[in-house]
Each structure stands twice: as C-alpha cells, then as structure tokens.
Amino acid sequence: IMGKNQTLISEFLLLGLPIQPEHQNLFYALFLAMYLTTVLGNLLIITLIRLDSHLHTPMYLFLSNLSFSDLCFSSVTMPKLLQNMQSRVPSIPYAGCLTQIYFFLFFGDLGNFILMAMAYDRYVAICFPLHYTTIMSPKLCLSLVVLSWVQTTFYSLLHTLLVNRLSFCAGNVIPHFFCEISALLKLACSDTQVNEWVLFIIGGIVVVVPFLLILVSYAKIVSSILKVPSARGIRKAFSTCGSHLSVVSLFYGTVIGLYLCPSANNSTVKDTVMALMYTVVTPMLNPFIYSLRNRDMKGALGRALFRKKISF
C-alpha cells in the first residue's frame, strides 16, 4: 500500500491493437511472418558483412550495427505483442514494463545515431573522395559506433530511472501494444513534469539533432554534385546514397508523423498504427532496401551462395 487512494501496481494491462476478434488469428499470422522476416533479413546482412572481406568498410560497419539495432528494436515489442494476442489477459509485469521501456529507447535511439554516422560517411565519400580513407579511419569509425552506444545507454537509463521513481494509481491499463513511455506517464499519480521536460529535451537531442545533421550532409552532397553536374556523377551519388535516403525517409517519416503531427481525433488508434510502422514495418523493410538496391550486398550474397555450392 502506498497511500490512502494509491496501490502498488505489480503489472500493467496492454490493450494491444484495435483488431476485431474474428481477425485476430489472421493478424497474428501476419505479424509472426513479419517478425521472422525482420529477424532473418537483418541476421543475413550481419552475417554477410562479417563473412565477406569486400564489405569490411566504414559504411558496412555502420550498416551491421543498424541491422543489429533493427533486429533488437523489433524484438523488444513483437514477441510480447504476439504472446498477448494469444492470451486472455494481455498483461506485462511492472519490472517487465520498465525493461521494455529501457530497451525500446536504447535501440530506437541507437538507430538514430547510426543513421547519422552513415550520412556523414556518405558525405565524406562524395565530397572528399580522395581523402575518404584518411578521414574515415578505423579509429574514427569505431569511435562513432562506441559513442552512439554510450549515449543511448545514458539516455535510456535516465528515462527508465525517472519512470521508476513515479507512483501509479489503481488504473493500470495502457492503451497500446507495448509500454509506451508517454502512455505510461498518463497513468502516474505523482508529478510527471520532470519526466515530460526530460523527454522533450532529450527527445529533441536524440531525434531532431541527428535528423538536422543528416539534412545538412545531404544538402552538402547535392551542392557538391551541382558544382560539377554530370549524368555519371548523379548516378554514382544516387547509387551511393539511395538506400540510406530510403531508410532515413521511412524511419523519420513515421516518427515525425507520430510525435510532431498529433491528431485530435482517434489519436490512440493513429498512435498505435504509426508506432507499428516504425517498430515492425521499418526494421523489416531495411534489409530489403539495402540488399535489393545495393550492388555490394548482392555481390556478397552471390559469393556466399557460390562458395556454398562449391563446398557441396
């Protein structure tokens, strides 16, 4: 007991997705297939990059980290969603909820910073091609990856500890398919002003700053191409940056649509669907974008299959 009108919450109920009961099994099969595709697709990219020496470059170091981040990001919410779709009581323990918040923020933020590092890599490759190997040294690349991991550890731990200090009333129903932090704050009995300010400020740093730096990188890339316009140069730039631009558009498009363009009507349904986009759809599509649009990845897959045939 925490007070006269407050009880210690031991678990939360997740309302899940707005799906009719008769369609539940169909959507369960769909989400299971999407999740397995996400896991296998991202594992394939990580394995190819690790095995193929042609892919031991800065761009593919960042891509392997992005694939690992996508795989884990989807795994934070999808197994629990699938379990709850088959459960009569779709609950999550209090400790499980905090754990989900921590890893959701960790891998979501990690993806942001890795996308920013990839944009810088493309900027150097196109604007300073002769100095690329000097600038993008193994030491700098490793430093960018380590810094991304350290920063996201700090941010996600800070948010999780701030949520842990809150007290919750008898209302324990979260209108979402995972422990979404803003939905959780609405259930708190204690003052959430500090949480909201930290969420706003850190959210700005983690989402807006990388997005702006990515825009600046691409503005400089476009400017560099326009200085010496040629069909070959434009083709090369598009083949170099096309995959990364597609992933950036997909990720930031859904995040901006969810958090910067809130709707007054049916906001809960809209929030849930948009969250599903960036937690399930984006991590699933990234391997396809990088493998289908990327000559290096297709070459690595071909070499891997050829080696397998020879071994037989």
Side-chain angles (χ1 to χ4, degrees), residues 29-294:
L30 175 65
F31 291 139
L32 179 61
M34 289 171 80
Y35 178 60
L36 290 175
T37 304
T38 302
V39 172
L40 294 173
N42 284 293
L43 277 177
L44 177 64
I45 284 185
I46 293 166
T47 306
L48 285 176
I49 291 170
R50 188 167 179 81
L51 294 180
D52 198 305
S53 58
H54 295 87
L55 301 180
H56 293 174
T57 63
M59 180 64 177
Y60 293 103
L61 168 68
F62 298 139
L63 178 56
S64 62
N65 274 269
L66 182 67
S67 290
F68 179 74
S69 168
D70 281 341
L71 192 159
C72 295
F73 187 54
S74 191
S75 298
V76 170
T77 55
M78 282 304 288
K80 189 63 186 171
L81 169 64
L82 291 166
Q83 182 195 338
N84 283 349
M85 285 180 81
Q86 295 293 300
S87 171
R88 290 183 179 275
V89 185
S91 63
I92 185 168
Y94 178 79
C97 195
L98 287 182
T99 305
Q100 197 176 56
I101 285 172
Y102 174 81
F103 285 109
F104 180 84
L105 292 171
F106 180 87
F107 290 112
D109 294 348
L110 181 62
N112 270 321
F113 288 115
I114 296 296
L115 285 172
M116 183 174 68
M118 290 170 85
Y120 179 69
D121 175 78
R122 296 301 82 205
Y123 161 67
V124 175
I126 289 172
C127 298
F128 306 100
L130 299 177
H131 303 286
Y132 177 76
T133 49
T134 311
I135 297 171
M136 296 304 293
S137 63
K139 187 180 178 182
L140 176 67
C141 296
L142 194 61
S143 298
L144 288 172
V145 170
V146 170
L147 187 63
S148 299
W149 281 75
V150 170
Q151 280 182 307
T152 50
T153 301
F154 168 72
Y155 293 149
S156 46
L157 190 60
L158 176 62
H159 285 305
T160 309
L161 292 174
L162 284 172
V163 170
N164 190 45
R165 59 180 266 283
L166 298 174
S167 55
F168 292 91
C169 301
N172 68 336
V173 178
I174 300 173
H176 223 299
F177 64 91
F178 67 98
C179 285
E180 207 267 332
I181 192 165
S182 56
L184 197 62
L185 293 182
K186 290 172 186 172
L187 299 178
C189 299
S190 48
D191 184 30
T192 59
Q193 197 169 9
V194 174
N195 297 69
E196 286 161 6
W197 272 109
V198 171
L199 199 60
F200 179 75
I201 293 163
I202 299 291
I205 294 168
V206 169
V207 178
V208 178
V209 172
F211 182 58
L212 290 176
L213 289 173
I214 289 168
L215 289 180
V216 169
S217 295
Y218 276 102
K220 288 186 175 292
I221 287 170
V222 170
S223 173
S224 175
I225 293 166
L226 292 177
K227 281 177 186 174
V228 192
S230 70
R232 185 170 171 272
I234 291 168
R235 269 200 312 273
K236 185 185 175 187
F238 185 73
S239 66
T240 306
C241 305
S243 300
H244 182 251
L245 261 177
S246 303
V247 171
V248 167
S249 304
L250 200 61
F251 182 80
Y252 284 103
T254 51
V255 170
I256 289 168
L258 180 57
Y259 293 109
L260 301 184
C261 307
S263 63
N265 301 324
N266 299 322
S267 59
T268 305
V269 174
K270 181 219 165 187
D271 288 358
T272 308
V273 172
M274 291 294 279
L276 201 63
M277 274 294 293
Y278 73 81
T279 56
V280 182
V281 179
T282 303
M284 181 188 74
L285 291 180
N286 285 357
F288 290 101
I289 291 169
Y290 276 103
S291 57
L292 296 176
R293 295 181 60 89
N294 191 301

